[in-house]
Amino acid sequence: SIFPLRGLTSPGFANFPSQAAASAFAKQLSDTVTKYGLDGIDFDDEYADYGVNGTAQPNSYSFVYLVQALRSYMPNKLITLYDIGPSATRLSYKGTNVTSMFNYAWNPWYGTFDVPKIALPNSKLAPAAVDLGSTDAGTAAGMAQQTVKGGYGAYLTYNLTSTDIHDYLSSFTSVLYGKNAVYTG
């Protein structure tokens, strides 16, 4: 499991006041991953309200410093990026680009096939974004075909419930893995 880290109300990942503050937060994240035996951290900066209630606006260095520090604390853990928000557009600072420090990047627009705007190999990108509650099976299957054809390494799904939707899931698992989904109740 990956600990999804979303921009919190007001503060986010793109407005640390210093490199030391970004590194301290990275250490807290790493300690949490270790403590709970998680696979890594996923950054999602879509809900931060920068500049609200006296918080700082995004700056050009915070997210770069945060990702660098986190990768140094977690060299063998996953660091992934939900490609949205101010952090996703601030991946370079003073000649340092942290793009290669991510394991995967995800398309944040459910029901669409949109290649994340991050320079990773196709095998580390998830351009398909499927909301299991609202993306129809034909669209999900079509996106699976595009995923395979493009050599993309991940297929993003959201909103799995406890109901039996194995036929729906099979519309894309059969394309991606050559196997139908099974519901065991």
Side-chain angles (χ1 to χ4, degrees):
S1 41
I2 297 176
F3 183 63
L5 193 59
R6 293 195 169 134
L8 312 170
T9 304
S10 293
F13 316 120
N15 62 354
F16 289 103
S18 67
Q19 185 173 12
S23 183
F25 186 62
K27 179 71 170 121
Q28 291 175 2
L29 295 176
S30 176
D31 290 348
T32 300
V33 166
T34 300
K35 179 177 181 176
Y36 295 104
L38 302 173
D39 295 325
I41 298 288
D42 177 55
F43 287 105
D44 177 350
D45 197 13
E46 67 185 305
Y47 296 113
D49 289 329
Y50 294 99
V52 174
N53 297 324
T55 60
Q57 291 292 335
N59 60 52
S60 57
Y61 57 82
S62 287
F63 196 57
V64 170
Y65 288 157
L66 176 61
V67 173
Q68 281 182 302
L70 187 61
R71 180 50 75 205
S72 72
Y73 292 129
M74 301 184 345
N76 300 312
K77 294 288 187 171
L78 293 173
I79 301 176
T80 63
L81 178 67
Y82 199 61
D83 189 25
I84 193 169
S87 294
T89 63
R90 291 168 170 81
L91 301 175
S92 294
Y93 179 68
K94 289 191 174 181
T96 299
N97 186 310
V98 295
T99 300
S100 65
M101 294 181 186
F102 292 101
N103 297 95
Y104 293 96
W106 324 108
N107 167 16
W109 308 108
Y110 289 100
T112 70
F113 190 92
D114 187 27
V115 179
K117 312 298 184 279
I118 181 169
L120 287 173
N122 285 5
S123 63
K124 294 181 175 234
L125 297 174
V130 175
D131 180 338
L132 300 173
S134 66
T135 306
D136 67 77
T139 300
M143 287 194 264
Q145 291 166 347
Q146 287 177 279
T147 297
V148 170
K149 183 178 178 182
Y152 297 104
Y155 185 89
L156 179 65
T157 62
Y158 166 77
N159 205 15
L160 182 63
T161 65
S162 61
T163 59
D164 179 4
I165 60 169
H166 78 278
D167 287 332
Y168 172 85
L169 296 174
S170 293
S171 72
F172 59 84
T173 62
S174 62
V175 176
L176 295 170
Y177 308 110
K179 296 178 181 180
N180 288 329
V182 176
Y183 180 72
T184 59

